[in-house]
Amino acid sequence: METIPQVDRRPAHADWEQRGSVLLTGVLDAERVKAVAGEALMRIGTATPYERDEVSSRRDGSFASPVHCGFLPAGPLLEQLAFDKQLLTVLREATGMPRLVPRGGSVVVYRQGDFQGLHTDTVKATVTVGIALTEGLPAMWWAPSLRDAMPDELAKVVADKGILPECAEFERLEHPPADGSVRAFAGYSIPHWRIPYPGEEPGLLATFSYMDL
């Protein structure tokens, strides 16, 4: 049985309460994450395009705006990681949500020019986890000041500032490299977006979602 190193999660819990995000370093075996990255790279040719042109709110209360990228469904190694019981235990303790349950994972594929407009994740993503599987993936923009904003408020932000606002009032959130660290954030509650990807080689981001019951 793989052992996840013990870390002091009291500050992480405080970060979650105050910021809606927490970085947990060294909670996964780095070789295991590298294997997930290799699995994704081998399957990159099967990525499904994900494109939308409209701004809308969904029935579950989440918000969407234009996007252009690709998605890979979870392969066997990523699926195992998405439902890993030890990782789940770490996330429950770090967020203070003892009833958190995994909902699965996928890989987002960014090719040059791909982007994700301002949006919030599905209601099933109380906690979203992101792990950069390739180097050089730019930081994600997000707006913790708009935590729990209603869709009509977010629609006004898009109307006033565009779908990819780069403003001093908003912030950037780095995802850790494939070194065994995990970044978790409140994907449903806090709007986030990605400006056009500049890299010549594809950028891969593994994402997992967890729902608080």
Side-chain angles (χ1 to χ4, degrees), residues 62-135:
S62 59
F63 179 81
S65 69
V67 59
H68 190 292
C69 60
F71 273 92
L72 275 173
L77 297 180
L78 181 64
E79 187 79 1
Q80 291 171 13
L81 190 55
F83 288 91
D84 187 276
K85 292 182 179 179
Q86 292 178 313
L87 176 58
L88 177 61
T89 297
V90 171
L91 290 169
R92 284 174 170 174
E93 294 180 4
T95 61
M97 300 179 193
R99 298 181 64 188
L100 207 63
V101 296
R103 303 296 301 184
S106 62
V107 176
V108 188
V109 179
Y110 294 99
R111 301 184 187 275
Q112 193 168 53
D114 281 354
F115 66 91
Q116 287 208 46
L118 187 149
H119 67 284
T120 54
D121 296 336
T122 169
V123 70
K124 295 178 181 179
T126 310
V127 176
T128 300
V129 164
I131 302 173
L133 299 180
T134 52
E135 297 182 1

Side-chain angles (χ1 to χ4, degrees), residues 9-18 20-24 87-101 126-129 147 182-186 210-212:
R9 287 181 281 274
R10 288 172 297 176
H13 190 180
D15 285 347
W16 183 266
E17 292 294 331
Q18 296 169 11
S21 173
V22 62
L23 176 62
L24 300 169
L87 176 58
L88 177 61
T89 297
V90 171
L91 290 169
R92 284 174 170 174
E93 294 180 4
T95 61
M97 300 179 193
R99 298 181 64 188
L100 207 63
V101 296
T126 310
V127 176
T128 300
V129 164
R147 191 173 188 173
V182 165
R183 165 73 72 184
F185 64 97
Y210 300 81
M211 186 176 185
D212 185 28

